Amino acid sequence: MRQRWSAAGGLPAVRESAAAARRPQRRRGSITAVAAALMALTGSALTGAGPGTPIASADTPLDRFYGQRPEWKSCDDSRLDEAGAHCADITVPLNYAAPQGETITIAISRIQATDPARRHGILLSNPGGPGGAGLDFTVDFGAAMTPDVRARYDLIGIDPRGVGRSSPVHCGWPRGFGLQSAGLDAVDYAESVAVQADLAARCLTDGGERLRYFTTRNTARDLDVIRGVLGEGKASYYGASYGTYLGAVYTQMFPERSDRIVLDSAVDPARYGAVDMVRDMGPANEAALDEWADSAAAKDSEYRLGTTRDQVRATVQDLIRRSAEKPLRVGEFDIDEHTLPMMLFTVLDDPREHDTVSTMVRMFADAADGKPVTPDPGTTKALAYMLKADPEDGAAQMAIMCGDVAVPRDPMFYWRNIEAARATQPVFGAFTNNITPCAFWAPPVEPTTVVRNSVPALIVQSTGDTRTTYGNARGMHRALTESRLVTLQNVAIHWIFGRYPNTCVYSAVNTYLLDGTLPANDLTCHQD
């Protein structure tokens, strides 16, 4: 679930009443004591909407969209301008079942093939999220391509519908992200339910019925319009994280138009959504936390968090408990039990960041001891997004996930999962099993896409990925029956090609993109 700096967020005021009620003295309630209030909340937000409009059939008149011609202009973005890119706006229907109705704009960028004589075609892309802006994503993965591969493709960056420059979706959220930890007990969980219901209700107020069409299936349709607008019979594709799900959906909906497909850090299409996919992150993040704890213990003289893995873990869990009793003051931000695990989650997707995690936890420990602390710019940026929706909220991510897959609405379903996970997932189980705004969302306008096809594809995945787990990649491999899986063994990295140099993985990707040759069998790679 890749975004520019993270795929995680925190918790603002619920609105002030719930938070104020529990501070400064903790109330220890049972879940039965608050169950009635939880159930009452499920009647709010978007759940009153109907089943939605059927989607357009193949003979729906979309010619005016496929037939438009892009007007290329400066991207007004330093990274893209330096890369020689140009940008254009493409018009698409909000609802493909009603193409004569409202339209929206999709912003795209193009870095042209370096050798027109050897040009193979276009390579569409998506960086993940969902809700990640992708106009300049081409600069990132393009840097991992060999010169021969770069010669062959126009690299197409896209801000998908609802994101960035593409008719952006915002719901006036007081915080940035729609995922948070449920906390330590039933009272904490009740607060979390109230927060998530409030976020969904804000989207009903600001987006209403219109919001329901910001979905992966419609984004896949947008991709095909872009393909047609650019005059190509087929499109190659590179997607990372959620972008792998989008790519798989595209191959299911438009198999005859799918060319060379690379899926990096893959989602299992059968587990995609705000429940199963997120629950899969729990064990993976606990394992990554163990690896970090070993690193921190080896540097105890510097970070003073403990001399063994167990001691470091105990420090973290104690900080979560202390933040529940009294939020940690970090610069201008207050960090509580809903937020602290999320801050760890944001930096556990890359083993090269272990010292960053240690520095952050040391800062939290100092704050818990009452010492004044000032977060570094990266932490400040993360907290500003989580707690203040600065520079903007991440409602697009929830709109897409909730619009794609229906989830259970009963808060007790999530509470049971949270409690069952605590013993083996003491830090992240309350996050990965928590309720989300999707429990209060309108039903999807279309059935969830079942991915099962024989379009050739290359899947690359690390075994320790904390966002899209290795089991998810194996699920994608099963769904795409002619795919090959390239495994990066014993590395906990999310998004490899263009982020984590590895000779074996990079070679497999570049070879496939160069001439369309997949490995004869699945491959296992090791760290350089």
Side-chain angles (χ1 to χ4, degrees):
M1 304 173 57
R2 177 188 178 270
Q3 290 188 339
R4 274 302 170 208
W5 55 268
S6 77
L11 172 76
V14 176
R15 299 194 198 244
E16 287 297 318
S17 57
R22 71 179 173 92
R23 311 291 188 194
Q25 183 177 357
R26 292 290 296 171
R27 293 183 289 111
R28 297 292 168 188
S30 69
I31 191 62
T32 55
V34 295
L38 299 183
M39 291 303 297
L41 284 165
T42 62
S44 65
L46 300 177
T47 57
T53 306
I55 295 303
S57 60
D59 58 357
T60 299
L62 295 172
D63 289 353
R64 71 185 181 104
F65 300 104
Y66 279 89
Q68 62 190 302
R69 290 293 174 261
E71 297 182 5
W72 298 106
K73 58 190 177 183
S74 170
C75 292
D76 194 26
D77 176 276
S78 59
R79 295 187 81 216
L80 286 167
D81 292 343
E82 290 171 8
H86 292 87
C87 288
D89 293 329
I90 309 299
T91 301
V92 299
L94 171 67
N95 175 9
Y96 278 83
Q100 303 305 319
E102 182 181 351
T103 62
I104 59 175
T105 297
I106 307 298
I108 68 172
S109 67
R110 181 181 67 177
I111 303 175
Q112 291 182 286
T114 58
D115 186 349
R118 300 167 61 196
R119 183 181 179 276
H120 177 74
I122 59 170
L123 193 148
L124 306 176
S125 62
N126 182 275
L135 271 188
D136 67 346
F137 185 47
T138 51
V139 179
D140 297 316
F141 69 80
M145 292 177 165
T146 63
D148 283 345
V149 173
R150 272 295 296 114
R152 307 208 69 192
Y153 294 93
D154 292 349
L155 306 184
I156 308 301
I158 305 166
D159 279 357
R161 60 169 54 205
V163 178
R165 300 183 187 182
S166 296
S167 303
V169 166
H170 299 296
C171 293
W173 286 359
R175 64 186 182 96
F177 202 66
L179 301 175
Q180 65 170 207
S181 179
L184 301 178
D185 59 22
V187 175
D188 287 345
Y189 178 58
E191 292 173 7
S192 195
V193 173
V195 168
Q196 304 297 54
D198 175 62
L199 297 184
R202 288 171 184 265
C203 284
L204 173 62
T205 299
D206 285 14
E209 179 72 11
R210 182 177 182 274
L211 202 61
R212 301 178 71 198
Y213 298 96
F214 291 84
T215 66
T216 296
R217 287 181 64 86
N218 279 335
T219 301
R221 294 181 176 104
D222 296 342
L223 292 182
D224 200 59
V225 170
I226 292 167
R227 175 203 57 76
V229 167
L230 296 180
E232 302 289 335
K234 288 189 171 185
S236 295
Y237 178 86
Y238 172 78
S241 193
Y242 158 81
T244 66
Y245 177 70
L246 171 61
V249 170
Y250 184 83
T251 67
Q252 190 67 33
M253 295 176 68
F254 303 99
E256 73 285 357
R257 298 169 192 167
S258 301
D259 195 3
R260 299 170 187 174
I261 309 297
V262 179
L263 307 177
D264 186 335
S265 305
V267 173
D268 181 350
R271 297 187 66 77
Y272 166 76
V275 175
D276 291 338
M277 180 181 70
V278 180
R279 290 184 71 186
D280 290 343
M281 299 179 195
N285 277 274
E286 296 288 347
L289 190 72
D290 282 343
E291 291 188 13
W292 161 74
D294 289 340
S295 170
K299 298 182 178 181
D300 182 61
S301 61
E302 181 176 356
Y303 298 113
R304 308 184 312 283
L305 300 174
T307 60
T308 67
R309 172 189 292 186
D310 288 346
Q311 287 179 3
V312 174
R313 267 189 161 274
T315 296
V316 170
Q317 290 174 235
D318 186 59
L319 285 171
I320 296 171
R321 179 191 60 77
R322 294 172 72 184
S323 72
E325 297 293 341
K326 180 180 179 181
L328 313 182
R329 187 67 177 175
V330 175
E332 62 182 284
F333 308 101
D334 289 328
I335 298 176
D336 64 9
E337 70 276 28
H338 299 286
T339 304
L340 198 153
M342 306 306 296
M343 287 298 295
L344 296 173
F345 173 72
T346 64
V347 285
L348 281 176
D349 69 332
D350 186 339
R352 297 168 298 184
E353 297 298 322
H354 280 170
D355 286 349
T356 300
V357 183
S358 298
T359 299
M360 184 171 65
V361 175
R362 180 66 258 164
M363 178 184 66
F364 291 158
D366 289 341
D369 290 338
K371 299 176 183 178
V373 297
T374 302
D376 62 44
T379 303
T380 298
K381 181 179 180 181
L383 288 169
Y385 172 70
M386 285 186 190
L387 301 180
K388 297 187 177 182
D390 179 10
E392 60 190 24
D393 67 47
Q397 182 176 69
M398 285 296 109
I400 296 165
M401 281 206 295
C402 303
D404 285 343
V405 180
V407 304
R409 298 193 181 277
D410 181 1
M412 292 300 294
F413 167 84
Y414 301 93
W415 175 251
R416 288 190 293 268
N417 290 338
I418 291 165
E419 289 292 277
R422 289 195 193 275
T424 57
Q425 302 171 42
V427 174
F428 295 108
F431 148 49
T432 59
N433 292 279
N434 196 18
I435 198 167
T436 71
C438 297
F440 309 97
W441 217 263
V445 296
E446 296 186 76
T448 301
T449 305
V450 176
V451 175
R452 183 75 178 181
N453 65 64
S454 58
V455 174
L458 185 69
I459 303 166
V460 298
Q461 184 81 24
S462 77
T463 56
D465 194 328
T466 59
R467 307 290 176 85
T468 51
T469 64
Y470 189 65
N472 271 251
R474 295 179 66 180
M476 178 71 84
H477 190 24
R478 290 190 295 271
L480 301 179
T481 59
E482 293 300 313
S483 64
R484 297 292 184 270
L485 175 60
V486 178
T487 298
L488 179 56
Q489 194 75 30
N490 298 324
V491 179
I493 187 70
H494 179 67
W495 171 34
I496 303 169
F497 191 71
R499 186 186 189 199
Y500 194 86
N502 180 267
T503 302
C504 177
V505 173
Y506 279 32
S507 176
V509 174
N510 279 309
T511 298
Y512 175 52
L513 290 176
L514 182 64
D515 57 18
T517 302
L518 285 169
N521 300 292
D522 294 342
L523 294 177
T524 298
C525 297
H526 300 276
Q527 188 163 270
D528 287 345

